[in-house]
Amino acid sequence: MAAISSLDPSPASRAKPSMDQADPSFATTLAHGLDLLAAFRNASGSLSNADLAQHTGLSRPTVSRLTYTLAQLGYLKRDAKGRFELGLGILAAAYPVLSALKVRQLARPLMRDFAAYAGGTVSIAMPLGLDFIYVETLRTTDAVPHVPDVGFTGTLATTAVGRSLLSLYTKDELDAHVARVKAERPEEADYVQTRTLPDIELCKERGFAVSLGEWRREIFGVAAPLYRTPTGDCLSVNCGIPSFRFSAEQIERECGPRILGLARSIRSLVANG
């Protein structure tokens, strides 16, 4: 299966949820500041005010005021060329979220074993809008084509972990997700209808999902849903495996049932932890 790279939007095309900015409770300036920080999600390096204006659609004077403020607060910092990078304030803000996810510590030994078996990267993911975000990741070797870390994001549509997360959604939640894809990422809409939705149903039947080079040609993905938290958050476990290590048939026949077993073991640890 060829990689569907065109369905992985660039930062500039990652549309944000529609907000009624006429709502007096909506803090537009705060939203714009958060938009600036979100622009770094898929940036490969530092960004200038001009880059940020292009990413967000905000005017240069607005961007300049926001970057100055965010830098003063420690959420951004300037590099030697005067461009902006994320500051340590971001990490400090994220710490309470990560530390509250006890599954990260409990699952690590099991994830390490699976990574050694598969020769890939094992991660725990949660939904983030139309994307997923890794909240834990572990690998036993760097000799793989893709080495994501905590905080890495990608589209739900073409990935095994995306399908496994979406399998935990209620019907109303899934309908709302599809409507949002149509509104914000129309380039993904047909793919979601013809490939993602059927694969979600298949994941519900057998307990795991696969993606055979759809997201990146050189990576096979296999994932299994974990659970929903009492507040409704969804978690799944995923393994990205170099395509040369297993055939597509082996991914389906061997890796799928194994990651289903991994998910069951993690759930048991969490229930008894």
Side-chain angles (χ1 to χ4, degrees), residues 104-126:
R104 298 173 63 242
Q105 293 81 13
L106 293 171
R108 281 173 188 157
L110 298 175
M111 293 169 65
R112 184 177 296 108
D113 289 344
F114 196 95
Y117 151 73
T121 302
V122 180
S123 306
I124 293 176
M126 299 175 68

Side-chain angles (χ1 to χ4, degrees), residues 36-72:
L36 286 189
L37 297 178
F40 289 87
R41 279 173 51 190
N42 292 276
S44 58
S46 57
L47 298 174
S48 66
N49 281 336
D51 295 330
L52 289 165
Q54 182 179 7
H55 276 269
T56 61
L58 300 173
S59 69
R60 286 282 295 275
T62 297
V63 168
S64 295
R65 290 194 300 272
L66 290 171
T67 53
Y68 173 83
T69 301
L70 290 167
Q72 291 296 308

Side-chain angles (χ1 to χ4, degrees), residues 115 119-123 134 137-139 141 144 146-148 238-242:
T121 302
V122 180
S123 306
Y134 285 156
T137 188
L138 192 148
R139 58 186 176 272
T141 176
V144 293
H146 178 59
V147 286
N238 169 73
C239 187
I241 305 170

Side-chain angles (χ1 to χ4, degrees), residues 244-255:
F244 63 80
R245 289 192 59 87
F246 294 95
S247 67
E249 181 183 359
Q250 287 175 309
I251 293 290
E252 296 272 2
R253 187 183 69 247
E254 300 175 18
C255 299

